[in-house]
Amino acid sequence: MANDSIRTAFITGASSGIGAALARHLAAEGITVALAARREEQLQQLADEIASAGGTASIHPLDVSDPEATEATVRQADDALGGLDLVVANAGVAPSRWSGKLCWADCTNALAVNVAGATATLTAVLPRMIERKRGHLVGVTSIAGLRGLPKMAAYSASKAYLRVFLESLRLDLHGTGVCVTEIRPGYVQTPMTKDNTSTPFVVSAEDAAARIWKATRSGRAVLTFPLPMAGAAGLLSALPNALYDVTMRPRR
């Protein structure tokens, strides 16, 4: 899709981090942004900031762990804006727990947000996009979704689901006018990573937003960044299980 073909965008997880930075970036490009997240006050502050800078934004308080509410909210924004050109499933949670103590309750929120919520976001107006023969779906996965990471079973699995889901969408939707892009970041400076003790090759949310927009604008299928993390992830993906297990097994 060409730059000027995207006029409206819906972004989940827009109250902070990558979502907020991407909203600012798109608004600066003249795109009307619909901001969705649980925290209404932060959404309003961001919408006011965008308006002060000359952009246009609307707020949509939403907990994406509720897929029915997510579908309804995306469709309402589609109606209000005369059709969404871009839908970004960015909202996510990253629980961490040693698998020896893992239980169902530890996994439910990751599955509700990263799997059900992301799926509902991406499919909410997909039939409408097909009818219009235009649109762009973007899903934010993670390098952590390429292989299972220690203490991140639910998170890695949820991002692996979204990665494969987006790949299937991309294959099915070829030639329909609807483009699909997977964004696969490493460490980004966001509230989600603020307590991490090790964040190699970390990039800012603003840097991530610029990369995401460039990939989206060019219709790229997959963007993995930053480059050193992408290279390391590719290497780990190629390791046989026995060597991967020895390399990644946590020391206790």
Side-chain angles (χ1 to χ4, degrees):
M1 297 182 69
N3 184 355
D4 58 2
S5 69
I6 298 179
R7 301 166 295 103
T8 58
F10 185 98
I11 307 169
T12 64
S15 59
S16 64
I18 294 175
L22 182 60
R24 293 187 189 96
H25 198 94
L26 296 183
E29 295 283 338
I31 296 168
T32 298
V33 289
L35 313 173
R38 290 178 301 164
R39 297 175 294 180
E40 184 173 358
E41 183 177 349
Q42 284 87 340
L43 286 181
Q44 189 59 61
Q45 290 173 351
L46 178 58
D48 292 343
E49 176 187 336
I50 288 172
S52 296
T56 304
S58 59
I59 68 167
H60 304 267
L62 171 67
D63 184 345
V64 298
S65 67
D66 182 340
E68 288 78 18
T70 299
E71 279 192 322
T73 302
V74 179
R75 289 170 183 167
Q76 288 166 5
D78 190 69
D79 292 336
L81 296 176
L84 291 167
D85 299 316
L86 173 64
V87 173
V88 182
N90 165 71
V93 293
S96 175
R97 191 167 181 81
W98 176 55
S99 294
K101 294 185 177 180
L102 197 65
C103 64
W104 171 240
D106 298 318
C107 304
T108 53
N109 196 40
L111 298 178
V113 175
N114 300 355
V115 174
T119 304
T121 301
L122 293 167
T123 58
V125 294
L126 178 53
R128 299 182 184 184
M129 287 182 167
I130 296 296
E131 289 180 5
R132 296 191 290 254
K133 298 182 180 180
R134 61 179 176 85
H136 201 132
L137 302 175
V138 172
V140 179
T141 64
S142 171
I143 288 176
L146 295 175
R147 295 201 76 160
L149 295 183
K151 300 182 181 180
M152 300 293 284
Y155 180 69
S156 286
S158 68
K159 292 301 185 179
Y161 162 84
L162 185 55
R163 173 175 58 82
V164 176
F165 182 74
L166 289 162
E167 185 171 52
S168 291
L169 289 183
R170 189 178 72 245
L171 294 174
D172 280 339
L173 300 179
H174 178 74
T176 66
V178 179
C179 189
V180 179
T181 297
E182 179 198 352
I183 301 299
R184 193 183 293 165
Y187 289 111
V188 180
Q189 289 174 334
T190 70
M192 186 184 295
T193 61
K194 66 181 178 63
D195 295 327
N196 288 13
T197 57
S198 177
T199 53
F201 306 109
V202 65
V203 300
S204 68
E206 291 72 22
D207 183 7
R211 293 171 189 253
I212 292 169
W213 173 236
K214 183 178 180 180
T216 301
R217 184 178 56 193
S218 64
R220 188 164 173 172
V222 180
L223 170 66
T224 306
F225 69 91
L227 188 59
M229 287 290 286
L235 178 61
L236 289 175
S237 295
L239 289 179
N241 289 338
L243 187 54
Y244 180 77
D245 289 357
V246 171
T247 302
M248 297 300 293
R249 187 179 296 135
R251 307 303 191 258
R252 297 200 311 273

